[in-house]
């Protein structure tokens, strides 16, 4: 219903901000990653929002980027994960870190976020696999085109994302695609 708010930042009380939109102040809950990137009180801001209506409340959640809002929406679809938990996850790690944790199936990274236990972390990894990030097959550290090609080749050869990413870490940064695949296959054969 309310997809975006643009106005003057009137108040900052973590994790909530008040945005004055032509005389109407909207209370918006934001993840800490968005909160830390906000300008000072009195500055003009624009936040993408997600509006939740419950029996006892109507709450606006705000995000600095479309990726953050999309991740929030994926998180709240998971059984047992409410908006507060989703906000906690996005406050504890960036969308890129979350995508990488899901790709590599690293529950330990999620458990470090306050309020996330082992069972919830495992459920998040299971439910978000293949749904989070633009290209879920590429971890955040696959920076160059050559590394991305090597990773895709390893996955096409039948290795898991986690195995391929681990082999990619051991390669020199400036390796060519053909040499990188050979070196990665040698590393995986051990």
């Amino acid at each position: 219903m309310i997809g975006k708010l643009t106005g003057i930042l009137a108040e900052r009380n973590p994790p909530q901000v008040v945005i004055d939109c032509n005389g109407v102040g909207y209370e918006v809950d934001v993840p800490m990653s968005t909160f830390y990137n906000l300008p000072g009180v009195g500055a003009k801001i624009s936040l993408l929002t997600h509006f939740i209506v419950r029996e006892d409340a109507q709450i606006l959640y705000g995000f600095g980027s479309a990726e953050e809002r999309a991740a929030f929406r994926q998180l709240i679809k998971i059984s047992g994960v409410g908006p507060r938990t989703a906000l906690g996850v996005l406050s504890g790690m960036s969308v890129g870190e979350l995508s990488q944790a899901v790709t590599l199936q690293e529950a330990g990274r999620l458990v470090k976020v306050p309020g996330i236990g082992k069972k919830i972390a495992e459920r998040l990894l299971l439910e978000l696999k293949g749904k989070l990030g633009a290209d879920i097959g590429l971890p955040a550290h696959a920076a160059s085109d050559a590394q991305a090609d090597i990773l895709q080749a390893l996955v096409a050869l039948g290795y898991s994302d986690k195995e391929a990413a681990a082999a990619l870490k051991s390669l020199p940064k400036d390796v060519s695609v053909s040499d990188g695949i050979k070196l990665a296959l040698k590393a995986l054969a051990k």
Side-chain angles (χ1 to χ4, degrees):
M1 178 176 192
I2 301 173
K4 181 179 176 184
L5 287 176
T6 300
I8 305 298
L9 182 60
E11 292 179 33
R12 292 172 52 125
N13 298 315
Q16 194 173 73
V17 297
V18 175
I19 301 175
D20 182 344
C21 298
N22 296 322
V24 179
Y26 291 93
E27 292 180 346
V28 183
D29 289 1
V30 297
M32 295 312 290
S33 54
T34 296
F35 188 85
Y36 292 135
N37 290 320
L38 291 176
V41 172
K44 186 172 182 174
I45 65 167
S46 185
L47 293 176
L48 297 172
T49 60
H50 183 85
F51 186 53
I52 294 183
V53 178
R54 297 189 326 226
E55 189 175 305
D56 60 338
Q58 296 182 21
I59 306 167
L60 266 174
Y61 294 94
F63 307 95
S65 70
E67 294 81 21
E68 236 177 9
R69 182 172 67 175
F72 176 83
R73 288 176 171 170
Q74 286 295 330
L75 286 166
I76 62 173
K77 288 179 185 176
I78 298 169
S79 174
V81 177
R84 288 276 170 216
T85 304
L87 217 56
V89 170
L90 293 174
S91 291
M93 59 188 356
S94 71
V95 176
E97 291 169 336
L98 178 59
S99 294
Q100 188 174 13
V102 170
T103 299
L104 301 176
Q105 293 293 290
E106 295 176 333
R109 289 173 75 177
L110 291 172
V111 173
K112 291 178 184 175
V113 175
I116 302 295
K118 187 177 180 185
K119 286 185 179 182
I120 294 284
E122 289 172 354
R123 186 178 307 139
L124 288 174
L125 293 177
L126 179 68
E127 297 277 339
L128 292 175
K129 183 135 178 90
K131 295 180 183 174
L132 196 61
D135 188 357
I136 201 64
L138 298 176
H141 63 269
S144 71
D145 289 338
Q147 287 180 319
D149 290 344
I150 294 166
L151 185 72
Q152 287 176 338
L154 294 173
V155 171
L157 289 170
Y159 292 100
S160 71
D161 289 338
K162 190 173 183 176
E163 292 170 326
L168 196 62
K169 285 180 186 176
S170 66
L171 300 177
K173 295 286 181 202
D174 58 348
V175 70
S176 70
V177 176
S178 59
D179 290 339
I181 292 171
K182 289 175 192 172
L183 290 171
L185 287 172
K186 284 181 185 175
L188 288 165
K190 292 180 183 176

